[in-house]
Amino acid sequence: QVRLVESGGGLVQAGGSLRLSCAASGRSFSSDSMGWFRQAPGKEREFVAAINWNGGLTYYEDSVKGRFTIFRNNAENTVHLRMNSLKPEDTAVYYCAADDRESRITGRSVPSYAYWGQGIQVTVSS
């Protein structure tokens, strides 16, 4: 059974930092893109960041560019999201996602990803 488990969320003051981690089990994703999405109350799930299979290409939603960094460790089957200079508008449930098609294209939409974690809360206070 494939599982993605997020960790590292919590409550932080504006301007602070958090690092989210996602540990995959049940299969290797070393040949697949992985990503992070978030969903705030009353809003649709939105793209945050994605990384291609070997970590050589990364993509970010405009509002997090320069503040967030996505990276992965294929030996450990993990993907991480370092979040700096957090803002109250970053408050959301954050989801880890993994593709399963060994695609050369790294998706930035929800349908691009087959596997999802259960989500983890990030709250940024002002």
Side-chain angles (χ1 to χ4, degrees), residues 48-106:
V48 176
I51 188 167
N52 78 327
W53 68 278
N54 67 355
L57 294 172
T58 56
Y59 304 89
Y60 298 94
E61 192 268 329
D62 286 346
S63 70
V64 307
K65 285 180 181 177
R67 300 189 298 121
F68 291 11
T69 303
I70 187 172
F71 57 102
R72 66 189 298 166
N73 184 325
N74 284 344
E76 296 181 350
N77 216 18
T78 57
V79 64
H80 309 272
L81 185 69
R82 183 182 298 116
M83 305 185 294
N84 295 329
S85 302
L86 283 160
K87 304 175 181 180
E89 50 263 44
D90 294 318
T91 295
V93 176
Y94 283 70
Y95 296 89
C96 170
D99 197 349
D100 67 346
R101 299 168 294 172
E102 300 186 4
S103 172
R104 292 296 182 185
I105 299 175
T106 300

Side-chain angles (χ1 to χ4, degrees), residues 24-32 72 74 77 99 102:
S25 61
R27 63 158 281 177
S28 171
F29 290 101
S30 60
S31 299
D32 300 293
R72 66 189 298 166
N74 284 344
N77 216 18
D99 197 349
E102 300 186 4

Side-chain angles (χ1 to χ4, degrees), residues 9-18 83 86-88 91 122-126:
L11 173 65
V12 65
Q13 289 188 334
S17 299
L18 284 175
M83 305 185 294
L86 283 160
K87 304 175 181 180
T91 295
V122 170
T123 302
V124 184
S125 64
S126 58

